[in-house]
Amino acid sequence: VIAMGSGPKSFTVETSGGYLAAIFPTGLSCIERTANSGSTGWVSDALETVEGLESFTRDWNGLDSDPPSPLATTVARNLIDRCRSLDFAPDRISASAEGGIAVCFRRANLFASVECLNSGEIVGLTSDGAGNTHAWEIGRDDSSLKGAMVLIREHFGLVAA
């Protein structure tokens, strides 16, 4: 973790395995999983993080990004509930530079995310760390959200819950 800049335009840069993992404004909300995915204690932390992301203002990252909209935060809360029902904790929840909220999962070189965008669109992404990525649009209904989480669990080699 490296702090860059000072004042309102300071950023925290995180790296993992020599790769850029995240850039976010110093002092702003972001959650990283510390509990085992078998514990549901992470749910309240995740919901508090989403609530904190609601307070972001335009240009929160110095890149003129919009803050998460009420629609994006509602979808993120629903997604967290789907994760809870599958006993599958995200590794990171943060504001998205695209405008919205990113819910991310990582296991070794495998990565997956669900971006709950301000427009109401939801985009899933999986990557094997070797350049093979798959992105798809996800519906906002509970069945689509759960289906996306099942696909992400399978991406990590986990059996369906």
Side-chain angles (χ1 to χ4, degrees), residues 1 8 58 60 65 68 91 96 106 115 121 127 130 158-159:
V1 177
R58 183 165 182 76
W60 59 268
S65 295
D91 293 288
S96 168
R106 179 177 291 281
E115 295 246 357
E121 292 176 278
S127 171
L158 302 171
V159 295

Side-chain angles (χ1 to χ4, degrees), residues 70-114:
L71 178 57
T73 58
T74 296
V75 173
R77 284 187 190 98
N78 291 341
L79 181 65
I80 290 165
D81 192 50
R82 296 293 67 76
C83 291
R84 181 202 49 75
S85 71
L86 293 169
D87 199 19
F88 188 53
D91 293 288
R92 173 182 288 278
I93 299 171
S94 62
S96 168
E98 304 295 323
I101 296 177
V103 180
C104 306
F105 306 84
R106 179 177 291 281
R107 307 289 185 277
N109 290 335
L110 300 176
F111 174 82
S113 68
V114 177

Side-chain angles (χ1 to χ4, degrees), residues 2-159:
I2 304 166
M4 299 176 62
S6 62
K9 298 294 181 186
S10 63
F11 295 89
T12 299
V13 177
E14 295 181 0
T15 59
S16 175
Y19 296 96
L20 177 67
I23 300 175
F24 55 93
T26 301
L28 292 181
S29 296
C30 177
I31 183 176
E32 290 205 44
R33 182 170 56 96
T34 56
N36 294 329
S37 62
S39 166
T40 57
W42 60 269
V43 175
S44 61
D45 289 341
L47 293 173
E48 284 179 25
T49 297
V50 170
E51 184 177 320
L53 296 174
E54 292 176 321
S55 67
F56 280 24
T57 58
R58 183 165 182 76
D59 197 32
W60 59 268
N61 59 356
L63 301 172
D64 203 34
S65 295
D66 287 326
S69 70
L71 178 57
T73 58
T74 296
V75 173
R77 284 187 190 98
N78 291 341
L79 181 65
I80 290 165
D81 192 50
R82 296 293 67 76
C83 291
R84 181 202 49 75
S85 71
L86 293 169
D87 199 19
F88 188 53
D91 293 288
R92 173 182 288 278
I93 299 171
S94 62
S96 168
E98 304 295 323
I101 296 177
V103 180
C104 306
F105 306 84
R106 179 177 291 281
R107 307 289 185 277
N109 290 335
L110 300 176
F111 174 82
S113 68
V114 177
E115 295 246 357
C116 307
L117 300 174
N118 288 347
S119 64
E121 292 176 278
I122 307 169
V123 179
L125 174 80
T126 57
S127 171
D128 66 2
N132 300 307
T133 60
H134 173 68
W136 73 101
E137 190 169 338
I138 302 167
R140 283 189 288 199
D141 59 285
D142 285 341
S143 177
S144 295
L145 291 173
K146 184 174 182 178
M149 295 316 307
V150 167
L151 287 174
I152 289 173
R153 283 178 54 92
E154 290 173 355
H155 173 69
F156 291 115
L158 302 171
V159 295

